[in-house]
Amino acid sequence: MDKLIITGGVRLDGEIRVSGAKNSALPILAATLLADSPVTVCNLPHLHDITTMCELFGCMGVELLVDEKMNVEVHASTIKQLVAPYELVKTMRASILVLGPLLARFGYAEVSLPGGCAIGSRPVDLHISGLQAMGADIVVEDGYIKASVKDRLKGAHILMDTVTVTGTENILMAAVLADGETIIENAAREPEVVDLAECLITMGARIKGHGTGMIRVQGVERLDGCTYSVLPDRIETGTYLIAAAATGGRVRLKDTQPNILDAILFKLREAGASVEWGDDWIELDMKGKRPRAVDLKTAPYPAMPTDIQAQFTALNAIAEGTGRITETVFENRFMHVQEMKRMGADVDVEGNTVIVKGVEQLKAAPVMATDLRASASLVIAGLVAEGDTVVERIYHIDRGYECIEEKLQQLGAKIRRVPA
Ligand code: UD1
């Protein structure tokens, strides 16, 4: 398995481009299954999760054309199998996103039940109950969710018990082809949900209220193909900003979208960074200073994303003062803490809160990535540590960060990939 070797101590300085958002690209690819004619998806990031989704389409017999810019043209009408097998779902939970579209368009779907994962139990009960409310017959058998509907799904009033991103996306994709009106209450307001809704609208769907807690959908009989470009990745953006701040450096990010990053940008200013932005760029300058530790609490959008808390923990590890980071979205999302301790971080976990007392210097150590965002936090820790940090099991990073070592090299970091 590949490793990353990072020689810490370099202040990041430079400009890089932000890639398309993984969490937008995955539901938008799933949504292409709803269209009667080909859909072209642009600005897709080069990531393992995107490849896995394309592999899943391959398994289902869906024809894909990929051009040199990684734009993917999906011909959903070529589908032969309405099954998402265990072998693929186990490597990517987001495969569950094909459940709603397959059921709505073809009347049947079999999707392997995603198991537990490194960051908690992550059930899919709300995806299932939402589809049942729309008239789907669903059984869980032999480890598979088997869903069918006679004729068409019916519009329904659905109140989600918990704010769930992929749950909202699955119900939304099912609702666009349902008969009548669907109301999704307590819907996720994440920008990626909005991006999916905008793509569906471009395909001919009738959706209102996306970006609020109540989404209204008037079902239509069919959707057409379109060309759609996914929005920039706010978590990738946040990760590079935090990396620059932790090293006392400067970074300019282009092709990003600052207006969906408020929680992160305000917190970085609180940490002492000078942060400026325009329509599609953000510049952060730490001017060589050590950051101040920050307190934060994760919650659904527009609050602080859970996908960025591990990276802030790395920043706090070398900051001035003590910071408290509380995780309210997932249980068990502190796997990076033990690894950071091995690098000399002064970290304690109390319930769902991580308390970090900043130290002047972390020391390099071999560390192991356990999930996607935890891996990113270990890379940041490596960038500020004294000596050579070896980060193992980086396949997690490749699931969510496009060319991470090349982008960091462009910012001056001493980082290299050692193939297995
Ligand atoms: C998505 C993101 C992930 C991010 C997370 C929270 C994608 C592909 N992944 O994951 O990067 O960390 O949102 O912002 O977009 N829950 C239930 N029942 C359900 C579904 C969810 O109880 O049926 C709970 C989960 O256990 C969790 C909470 O709801 O505690 C939020 O999870 P959810 O928003 O569903 O996360 P994902 O959509 O899987």
Side-chain angles (χ1 to χ4, degrees):
M1 269 183 263
D2 291 5
K3 298 172 187 172
L4 286 177
I5 301 179
I6 307 162
T7 308
V10 178
R11 261 184 209 163
L12 298 187
D13 190 359
E15 174 175 282
I16 48 173
R17 181 188 172 268
V18 170
S19 303
K22 168 179 89 71
N23 287 354
S24 240
L26 293 171
I28 285 173
L29 282 172
T32 63
L33 296 172
L34 293 160
D36 285 359
S37 44
V39 179
T40 303
V41 187
C42 311
N43 199 31
L44 284 172
H46 294 66
L47 297 173
H48 270 192
D49 275 8
I50 302 300
T51 316
T52 305
M53 194 59 123
C54 293
E55 244 179 82
L56 174 55
F57 279 24
C59 269
M60 297 193 295
V62 174
E63 280 175 19
L64 300 175
L65 294 174
V66 185
D67 73 13
E68 70 288 350
K69 288 188 180 152
M70 251 302 265
N71 298 328
V72 174
E73 189 179 295
V74 185
H75 295 246
S77 299
T78 59
I79 201 160
K80 289 176 193 72
Q81 297 251 33
L82 304 171
V83 181
Y86 174 70
E87 288 65 39
L88 290 173
V89 180
K90 76 172 184 204
T91 64
M92 187 182 69
R93 294 178 49 84
S95 315
I96 188 79
L97 285 165
V98 300
L99 180 63
L102 288 180
L103 185 62
R105 168 104 192 273
F106 303 103
Y108 188 79
E110 266 183 43
V111 178
S112 170
L113 198 59
C117 74
I119 61 174
S121 63
R122 297 181 84 174
V124 288
D125 54 314
L126 301 174
H127 302 233
I128 294 177
S129 58
L131 295 171
Q132 281 171 328
M134 298 173 79
D137 276 325
I138 301 187
V139 289
V140 177
E141 216 172 59
D142 311 324
Y144 278 76
I145 303 167
K146 298 182 180 173
S148 60
V149 64
K150 285 192 204 82
D151 202 18
R152 235 174 128 187
L153 289 169
K154 300 248 177 311
H157 190 150
I158 297 163
L159 192 138
M160 312 293 277
D161 284 347
T162 307
V163 176
T164 154
V165 176
T166 49
T168 302
E169 291 166 345
N170 241 332
I171 307 300
L172 175 62
M173 289 187 280
V176 291
L177 285 185
D179 184 15
E181 185 183 48
T182 299
I183 297 176
I184 312 172
E185 272 199 79
N186 202 22
R189 293 186 280 166
E190 267 63 8
E192 294 75 20
V193 176
V194 176
D195 205 33
L196 168 67
E198 289 297 336
C199 174
L200 290 166
I201 290 169
T202 313
M203 290 159 69
R206 294 173 60 199
I207 304 170
K208 291 222 158 66
H210 43 299
T212 76
M214 191 188 289
I215 305 179
R216 282 175 186 272
V217 185
Q218 297 290 339
V220 294
E221 290 204 358
R222 58 185 297 273
L223 292 175
D224 287 318
C226 70
T227 297
Y228 194 83
S229 188
V230 303
L231 97 167
D233 198 310
R234 65 195 166 104
I235 304 301
E236 189 198 25
T237 303
T239 301
Y240 286 110
L241 292 173
I242 295 170
T247 62
R250 190 197 71 89
V251 68
R252 186 182 167 92
L253 299 174
K254 55 182 182 179
D255 297 338
T256 184
Q257 200 176 313
N259 66 353
I260 54 173
L261 274 129
D262 285 358
I264 296 172
L265 299 180
F266 293 169
K267 200 52 77 178
L268 283 164
R269 278 187 172 164
E270 219 179 289
S274 141
V275 190
E276 304 296 329
W277 57 86
D279 281 352
D280 63 352
W281 59 268
I282 303 176
E283 195 170 302
L284 175 142
D285 195 349
M286 202 67 205
K287 300 183 178 144
K289 287 179 301 183
R290 188 176 167 199
R292 286 193 292 273
V294 289
D295 293 336
L296 62 88
K297 191 183 204 174
T298 67
Y301 189 83
M304 187 62 78
T306 169
D307 286 350
I308 206 79
Q309 62 84 354
Q311 298 87 317
F312 269 112
T313 306
L315 178 101
N316 278 352
I318 50 85
E320 243 179 270
T322 300
R324 297 171 66 86
I325 294 188
T326 304
E327 169 63 52
T328 75
V329 180
F330 290 115
E331 61 203 84
N332 197 17
R333 205 174 188 182
F334 292 143
M335 316 279 270
H336 47 284
V337 166
Q338 290 310 324
E339 299 300 295
M340 282 185 198
K341 275 191 179 172
R342 304 181 60 248
M343 299 175 73
D346 186 347
V347 204
D348 272 319
V349 179
E350 273 180 22
N352 64 343
T353 300
V354 170
I355 300 151
V356 193
K357 216 158 129 203
V359 294
E360 294 232 0
Q361 185 71 67
L362 292 178
K363 294 247 166 34
V367 287
M368 192 133 77
T370 44
D371 73 62
L372 170 54
R373 306 304 169 183
S375 326
S377 74
L378 296 176
V379 170
I380 296 174
L383 289 170
V384 292
E386 192 187 340
D388 286 355
T389 296
V390 181
V391 185
E392 300 204 40
R393 290 208 190 159
I394 58 161
Y395 57 85
H396 291 293
I397 299 193
D398 296 332
R399 285 190 39 225
Y401 289 91
E402 180 174 75
C403 307
I404 189 165
E405 70 275 23
E406 283 153 38
K407 288 190 181 187
L408 284 171
Q409 280 161 5
Q410 274 177 47
L411 299 177
K414 290 192 187 145
I415 178 168
R416 63 197 160 91
R417 181 181 291 253
V418 181

